[in-house]
Amino acid sequence: MELRRGVPLFYQQFKALLKKNLLLSWRNKTATFIQLFASFFFILLLFCIDKGTQASTSHTTAYKTVLDPKALVSPPIPPCEQKFFVKRPCFDFVWSGNHSVRLNRIVSSIMANNPGRKIPSSKVKSFRTTEDVDAWLLNNPMHCPGALHFKEINATVISYGIQTNSTPVRDRGYFEDPTFKFQIPLQIAAEREIARHIIGDPNFSWVVGLKEFPHPAKDGFSVMSTIAPSFLLAFAMFGFAMQIGSLVVEKELKLRQAMSMTGLYESTYWFSWIIWEGILTLVSSILLILFGKAFQFDFFNKNNFAVVFLVFYLFQLNMTGFAFMLSSFISKSSSATTVGFSVFIVGFFTQLVTVFGFPYDIKVSNIARYIWSLFPPNLLAVAVDALAEATATPEDVGISWSGRKRCADDADDDAGDECVISINDVYIWLVATSFVWFVLAIYFDNIIPNANGVRKSIFYFLQPGYWTGKGGNKVEEGHLCSCMGSVPRQEYVTPEDEDVLEEENIVKQDVTEGTVNQNVAVQVRGLVKTYAGTMTIGCCKCKKTSPYHALKGLWMNFAKDQLFCLLGPNGAGKTTVINCLTGVTPVTSGDALIYGYSIRSAVGMSNIRSIIGVCPQFDILWDALSGEEHLHLFASIKGLPPDTINSAAQESLAKVRLTESAKVRTRSYSGGMRRRLSVAISLIGDPKLIILDEPTTGMDPISRRHVWDIIQDAKKGRSIVLTTHSMEEADILSDRIGIMAKGRLRCIGNSIRLKSRFGTGFVTNVSFIENATAQSPPNATVDHTNQHEDVKQFFKDHLDVLPAEETKSFLTFIIPHEKEKLLTKFFTELEDRQQEFRIADIQIGLTTLEEVFLNIAKQAELESAAAEGRLVTLSLTSGVSVEIPVGARFVGIPGTESPENPRGNMVEVYWEQDDSGSLCISGHSAEMAVPPDAQPLISAAPPSDRNLRRGRRPVYGVVINPNQFGTANS
Ligand SMILES: Nc1ncnc2c1ncn2[C@@H]1O[C@H](COP(=O)(O)OP(=O)(O)OP(=O)(O)O)[C@@H](O)[C@H]1O
């Protein structure tokens, strides 16, 4: 099948990724809804705050333009209850001068003639003198808003004085004005009634009108310029945190790595995200303005639509770039909210500062302004402030499209030269910094180590190969701020195993002759992978790790049309081999050719990606996508022609028996189904090489057998590299097996060869005639012991072996390979005596692959322990403890020498591997005399004994070379 390449592939991948983003957003409806519609809630909040603010200033016309002020005509004395926070019982007024009859009459008239309301006598309190009133007011604060003090001078003159309660009392945000509310009505009433009394005309009157000045509206508290920037920033934070989360999740779950392994262009990846986020921000910006208009904000109604839209759209786009850049530094998606919140908090304060005028003022240096403008919330604040200013009063008309280039103060001639930034300048800043964020996002993404600790050099973009696509993909490992320790060269070690050596020589011959073997799918040429030790300098500590040789020089061929199985204990290096072959991790030295393409070349790797299918060790799937959608996505990324994608996906699903669950989201898949889908993804596009890293892990036996069938089927016409911990799987599926341990290939060959070379020998099961009693007289007892003893003796006499396992009905013997020549004759004779020994059946077979595996793993562990010189304490049954090297078999015990036994005693130590594969002592033999011909190999004591310095004196065993004496070594 011809796969797409170049621009058509870019477009196909772009469409597939856009569809994936659309599906993920659609499936994650709550988050998407919040991202798009959060503006509604913030606009609603702004509306409520605006209404609240208007209510709190409704008593004053200061914030309104007053052109034709209305007069307040002869205001009445208000009831005392209208005084803020008055205490009951309260009085509308108190007065002094009650000893005078005339004055009493005047006050009665004030009460009776109060416009609109007669004042009852219970609401007025009289005193004789001014001092009495003062004493009462002092003792009864807040019980009365005003006092009148009358004095009769003569028949035609009555003087009066007024007192008001001027304690500043605030209610719902504003202070009561005692002059207008209480003093002036009292004054008008007193003067009116005194005049009527003196003139003697009860209807004498005049009209007093109280009017404010006509005035322009005062600049007051503007919700849009003060609170709105923070609110709009908070609204943008939803999208911001989600964008970081989406990018980091794909990184964290290695989804991006899986797509890259399938051949995804880096440019497509970024482009698809930018376009998708661009669409979301476009919609949310339009919705924001529509909601603003719906709530009748002048800010949205009077300013030109395009002017306001561009502010919010460019700001949100800028925040997207900012989010992309920050996501490079974050490795856990759970941190996205924290980062979003932190940016909001910082933005909140810097916006406050911006609204107060810093640094967008002619007096502040340009440098400060440029630095300040790098933080997107500040640009939003300055733009929103300008737009709010332009619609602050009813007379303001807002900013038109053509007016976007004018500074807010330009209209004001006096302050015209003060303005430093127009809305148009904000646009330019937002566009320019968005571009910077996107470029930095790609740059940091390349130079900050990915989930596998791989990154590019900090100057990678200066390499011409990066731009031409030839060799510019060189990657490094380790953290940016880590000082890489020097990587020691991996010394060449000649393989001990003859098959491994032969394989190595075959590959080396190809390398020397420069030939590419046409029968070989993958040729591994001296692959070395060393994870460099790093020294990370933290704030208070320095963490140092030493280099680790994960692969120590692998030479092998994986033939075409064959399944090669890589086995090995945990940490052997299997996944590292796969990661090197798939370009996930760079190789330290050596190379590998996959169908002739080198994994070390960028061009080679891009060709390799189109011909391989990979099933990674852990399922790399989007929970919200279905099995079918996964296959469509990966098929598109791979470059399958669009008209074949659906059929290829259906075929792959059918192969792994997931057709019925094709439309079910993988969140609902069982572990086995997820694994099968991963296998299906690796099969899509008919790859020439399939790499399966533990494909059946976690599967039940039925699913496992089914996947084996799939693999058997897939073997036809292509090569498969399989790693597994299931020996049964390896035995059934493999054409060839390589067992690795500690980064080296330990053996290679087909299953039978490995078993015969590395197994302990032939397993022979002898089963006895069951229910022998049935053929014996009823009360006769069959002596199993005798039966068994005879057979045991027969094996002992002829092959010198004892049973490895014994039950009532069978005996199991392991016959070493060396005895192979004796076997034909031995079994013929045993069969002849079958009746005599009452043997029902004799079965003979090779030892299992598992045993081979365990032997190889144990051998590797022993070698490594010996090389590292690790010590462990052997506690003897005699009570003595000796320090011995891990893996030592025969150990002489110091202090057991005697005149009769001058060489002392030794024990044979039995080793086993614990769950983690490390060697541990399982027991030891009885003490025996060290044979005279045995040679001590080494003393376990290290040259400088730290324990001695601590005052303890450990006993060190003497390792004895088992080859130096005959009997013990058998
Ligand atoms: N990025 C890394 N940095 C340092 N050491 C690493 C890194 N990745 C792997 N290793 C080490 O390399 C060794 C080989 O690891 P690898 O994953 O290849 O083993 P494996 O044979 O696949 O094991 P398993 O069967 O558990 O998957 C291990 O000791 C591992 O700790």
Side-chain angles (χ1 to χ4, degrees):
M1 189 186 307
E2 188 65 29
L3 298 181
R4 290 183 146 198
R5 283 174 166 273
V7 178
L9 178 58
F10 173 91
Y11 181 61
Q12 178 165 315
Q13 291 184 345
F14 170 71
K15 275 202 312 187
L17 291 193
L18 215 53
K19 187 177 169 195
K20 173 213 58 163
N21 290 342
L22 175 71
L23 285 171
L24 291 177
S25 295
W26 179 250
R27 306 262 157 90
N28 196 358
K29 286 193 187 65
T30 315
T32 312
F33 178 83
I34 291 175
Q35 189 174 356
L36 292 180
F37 290 88
S39 54
F40 174 81
F41 301 102
F42 285 100
I43 291 286
L44 180 66
L45 269 178
L46 281 177
F47 177 78
C48 295
I49 295 171
D50 195 38
K51 286 288 160 228
T53 317
Q54 280 175 21
S56 72
T57 56
S58 60
H59 66 284
T60 171
T61 55
Y63 302 104
K64 296 182 191 119
T65 303
V66 177
L67 301 174
D68 181 19
K70 297 279 172 291
L72 180 66
V73 181
S74 302
I77 299 166
C80 60
E81 286 81 2
Q82 280 189 12
K83 171 123 191 94
F84 291 175
F85 309 118
V86 74
K87 289 182 187 162
R88 315 277 167 111
C90 69
F91 299 93
D92 292 352
F93 65 93
V94 293
W95 66 282
S96 64
N98 63 2
H99 54 282
S100 160
V101 178
R102 279 175 79 196
L103 294 179
N104 269 304
R105 257 191 263 131
I106 288 172
V107 171
S108 299
S109 305
I110 289 174
M111 290 160 65
N113 298 334
N114 187 39
R117 174 186 75 108
K118 273 190 179 166
I119 300 173
S121 53
S122 60
K123 301 298 289 290
V124 176
K125 192 167 178 64
S126 67
F127 294 87
R128 186 178 174 82
T129 63
T130 307
E131 289 73 28
D132 294 344
V133 171
D134 284 346
W136 184 84
L137 288 172
L138 189 64
N139 294 326
N140 299 276
M142 300 303 289
H143 281 272
C144 179
L148 289 169
H149 301 283
F150 296 100
K151 221 177 232 169
E152 257 189 302
I153 306 295
N154 53 39
T156 55
V157 177
I158 294 172
S159 75
Y160 79 98
I162 301 181
Q163 264 183 312
T164 44
N165 182 344
S166 56
T167 305
V169 184
R170 197 169 66 163
D171 184 30
R172 298 185 186 209
Y174 79 96
F175 288 95
E176 196 170 38
D177 180 356
T179 309
F180 268 90
K181 196 168 177 183
F182 300 106
Q183 183 180 325
I184 290 178
L186 270 180
Q187 183 181 345
I188 292 170
E191 284 177 2
R192 186 185 65 231
E193 297 307 328
I194 291 171
R196 283 177 180 173
H197 189 78
I198 292 174
I199 295 169
D201 179 357
N203 295 321
F204 175 75
S205 186
W206 67 85
V207 176
V208 182
L210 303 167
K211 243 190 195 186
E212 65 179 321
F213 286 168
H215 62 82
K218 179 173 174 273
D219 279 353
F221 178 78
S222 161
V223 168
M224 285 315 289
S225 67
T226 48
I227 303 176
S230 305
F231 273 48
L232 296 171
L233 176 65
F235 142 69
M237 279 303 127
F238 285 101
F240 179 78
M242 279 172 212
Q243 281 151 16
I244 294 185
S246 312
L247 289 173
V248 178
V249 159
E250 290 199 340
K251 201 162 62 167
E252 189 182 7
L253 301 181
K254 300 197 176 176
L255 293 160
R256 189 174 159 195
Q257 179 187 306
M259 293 192 285
S260 299
M261 268 188 327
T262 317
L264 178 70
Y265 295 138
E266 197 187 341
S267 49
T268 326
Y269 175 79
W270 286 111
F271 192 61
S272 67
W273 270 118
I274 291 171
I275 294 296
W276 177 246
E277 293 300 339
I279 294 171
L280 286 183
T281 49
L282 180 97
V283 175
S284 72
S285 301
I286 292 176
L287 285 174
L288 169 72
I289 297 174
L290 294 182
F291 293 138
K293 280 180 174 292
F295 280 95
Q296 295 293 314
F297 276 104
D298 284 348
F299 181 96
F300 292 101
N301 280 334
K302 288 187 177 173
N303 288 309
N304 177 278
F305 182 92
V307 171
V308 181
F309 166 75
L310 276 181
V311 167
F312 292 117
Y313 181 59
L314 293 180
F315 166 68
Q316 290 203 70
L317 211 58
N318 194 292
M319 288 301 280
T320 303
F322 203 59
F324 283 10
M325 186 189 67
L326 292 182
S327 71
S328 307
F329 298 91
I330 304 168
S331 52
K332 296 265 171 290
S333 53
S334 50
S335 314
T337 321
T338 316
V339 173
F341 189 68
S342 310
V343 170
F344 173 71
I345 293 292
V346 175
F348 176 79
F349 288 109
T350 58
Q351 281 190 331
L352 269 187
V353 175
T354 308
V355 169
F356 286 126
F358 177 86
Y360 300 100
D361 188 305
I362 199 77
K363 296 179 205 87
V364 182
S365 79
N366 284 344
I367 303 282
R369 208 157 32 245
Y370 295 157
I371 293 172
W372 199 253
S373 300
L374 287 175
F375 192 45
N378 299 340
L379 290 170
L380 175 74
V382 80
V384 170
D385 191 42
L387 291 167
E389 276 289 311
T391 53
T393 64
E395 289 72 40
D396 290 327
V397 291
I399 297 179
S400 64
W401 177 247
S402 56
R404 73 190 188 283
K405 290 185 182 165
R406 277 199 301 274
C407 268
D409 292 330
D410 276 1
D412 181 351
D413 287 340
D414 298 340
D417 54 354
E418 291 285 316
C419 176
V420 288
I421 189 162
S422 68
I423 292 283
N424 205 56
D425 297 331
V426 172
Y427 294 159
I428 294 170
W429 266 100
L430 285 171
V431 171
T433 49
S434 299
F435 184 72
V436 172
W437 305 142
F438 285 126
V439 171
L440 285 180
I442 296 171
Y443 174 67
F444 287 133
D445 181 63
N446 276 292
I447 67 159
I448 290 173
N450 65 15
N452 292 297
V454 176
R455 65 178 175 89
K456 286 189 184 146
S457 130
I458 50 173
F459 298 116
Y460 75 94
F461 57 92
L462 296 179
Q463 296 159 9
Y466 174 74
W467 301 103
T468 57
K470 290 177 187 154
N473 276 341
K474 199 169 171 302
V475 288
E476 298 173 3
E477 280 165 294
H479 198 267
L480 204 59
C481 304
S482 66
C483 337
M484 302 289 285
S486 61
V487 180
R489 256 182 77 81
Q490 177 55 43
E491 292 304 322
Y492 173 74
V493 179
T494 310
E496 283 177 13
D497 181 70
E498 59 193 62
D499 292 343
V500 175
L501 186 60
E502 192 188 337
E503 180 83 2
E504 189 170 314
N505 289 335
I506 292 170
V507 179
K508 281 182 176 168
Q509 196 178 348
D510 281 346
V511 176
T512 321
E513 292 169 3
T515 50
V516 175
N517 190 334
Q518 293 306 316
N519 296 321
V520 169
V522 182
Q523 187 164 72
V524 182
R525 298 176 161 188
L527 209 58
V528 171
K529 175 70 204 175
T530 304
Y531 293 106
T534 55
M535 196 160 73
T536 313
I537 300 165
C539 49
C540 324
K541 57 179 180 182
C542 195
K543 217 173 123 198
K544 200 175 170 186
T545 58
S546 48
Y548 184 78
H549 298 291
L551 299 179
K552 299 172 181 166
L554 291 185
W555 300 82
M556 53 185 162
N557 281 326
F558 303 157
K560 283 182 180 167
D561 302 340
Q562 273 197 6
L563 188 146
F564 188 94
C565 185
L566 261 185
L567 296 179
N570 294 125
K574 305 177 298 292
T575 303
T576 306
V577 173
I578 289 179
N579 285 346
C580 289
L581 293 181
T582 50
V584 168
T585 187
V587 299
T588 308
S589 69
D591 196 359
L593 300 187
I594 298 182
Y595 284 90
Y597 299 118
S598 163
I599 59 167
R600 301 201 73 160
S601 116
V603 179
M605 208 59 236
S606 122
N607 287 324
I608 289 168
R609 285 191 175 123
S610 63
I611 55 171
I612 62 169
V614 185
C615 168
Q617 194 170 37
F618 302 102
D619 298 310
I620 298 178
L621 304 170
W622 284 267
D623 278 355
L625 297 186
S626 69
E628 190 178 46
E629 285 157 357
H630 274 94
L631 289 169
H632 277 254
L633 174 66
F634 282 101
S636 303
I637 292 175
K638 193 143 207 167
L640 264 73
D643 52 336
T644 62
I645 289 178
N646 194 37
S647 56
Q650 296 309 329
E651 201 182 310
S652 281
L653 284 166
K655 269 189 197 157
V656 296
R657 291 195 202 155
L658 282 176
T659 308
E660 281 182 17
S661 319
K663 298 210 183 310
V664 176
R665 294 183 205 169
T666 58
R667 180 179 292 129
S668 318
Y669 278 22
S670 67
M673 287 164 86
R674 292 170 76 87
R675 213 70 201 111
R676 276 189 278 155
L677 179 60
S678 297
V679 173
I681 291 172
S682 71
L683 295 176
I684 198 114
D686 198 16
K688 284 180 168 177
L689 171 70
I690 300 175
I691 298 176
L692 305 167
D693 197 355
E694 300 179 24
T696 54
T697 306
M699 281 189 191
D700 64 65
I702 301 168
S703 303
R704 195 164 59 227
R705 287 200 175 267
H706 172 59
V707 171
W708 291 351
D709 290 344
I710 299 165
I711 296 174
Q712 285 284 21
D713 207 32
K715 262 163 77 170
K716 289 171 204 134
R718 53 166 88 84
S719 317
I720 298 180
V721 178
L722 169 78
T723 76
T724 179
H725 285 299
S726 158
M727 298 303 127
E728 193 188 359
E729 184 170 305
D731 220 352
I732 291 173
L733 297 175
S734 315
D735 298 302
R736 254 175 126 218
I737 296 171
I739 301 184
M740 291 178 68
K742 306 271 174 196
R744 286 210 171 86
L745 188 64
R746 303 291 168 157
C747 60
I748 192 164
N750 61 30
S751 168
I752 296 178
R753 173 134 182 103
L754 297 187
K755 284 176 188 170
S756 61
R757 290 201 56 227
F758 297 96
T760 37
F762 300 92
V763 183
T764 306
N765 269 315
V766 178
S767 56
F768 294 93
I769 295 170
E770 261 187 47
N771 204 7
T773 48
Q775 292 162 22
S776 313
N779 49 2
T781 52
V782 176
D783 191 346
H784 297 290
T785 328
N786 269 350
Q787 262 181 316
H788 285 202
E789 287 309 317
D790 293 346
V791 174
K792 282 193 258 172
Q793 195 57 45
F794 186 79
F795 271 79
K796 175 84 181 134
D797 294 344
H798 290 77
L799 299 173
D800 193 20
V801 289
L802 293 174
E805 209 182 329
E806 181 173 358
T807 69
K808 255 184 178 181
S809 51
F810 72 86
L811 289 170
T812 303
F813 297 89
I814 308 253
I815 305 166
H817 286 294
E818 308 88 82
K819 310 273 166 89
E820 192 174 349
K821 286 190 189 127
L822 306 174
L823 292 186
T824 319
K825 190 165 167 270
F826 170 79
F827 280 109
T828 315
E829 202 176 321
L830 185 64
E831 272 170 24
D832 290 346
R833 299 181 66 180
Q834 207 165 336
Q835 286 283 346
E836 178 193 337
F837 290 140
R838 304 191 64 79
I839 290 174
D841 189 25
I842 304 166
Q843 284 178 348
I844 179 160
L846 275 172
T847 44
T848 58
L849 196 57
E850 183 160 332
E851 204 188 327
V852 174
F853 178 88
L854 292 175
N855 282 345
I856 298 275
K858 191 168 167 183
Q859 188 57 36
E861 196 61 37
L862 282 170
E863 274 174 27
S864 136
E868 290 169 20
R870 274 183 273 137
L871 295 179
V872 67
T873 305
L874 166 67
S875 303
L876 295 165
T877 37
S878 61
V880 176
S881 292
V882 284
E883 300 290 309
I884 62 165
V886 174
R889 187 172 166 198
F890 292 99
V891 179
I893 303 149
T896 51
E897 300 85 359
S898 63
E900 306 82 57
N901 180 17
R903 304 207 62 189
N905 286 344
M906 67 173 195
V907 288
E908 182 181 358
V909 185
Y910 306 134
W911 296 94
E912 64 179 10
Q913 284 175 286
D914 64 13
D915 292 345
S916 62
S918 307
L919 286 176
C920 55
I921 297 170
S922 63
H924 65 85
S925 68
E927 288 187 28
M928 53 190 145
V930 177
D933 53 346
Q935 292 297 315
L937 267 178
I938 47 163
S939 164
S944 75
D945 190 334
R946 284 186 297 151
N947 289 318
L948 271 180
R949 267 181 261 131
R950 288 187 200 143
R952 262 178 55 213
R953 187 177 284 276
V955 180
Y956 294 103
V958 180
V959 183
I960 292 172
N961 187 351
N963 300 324
Q964 296 292 320
F965 53 96
T967 48
N969 192 24
S970 58

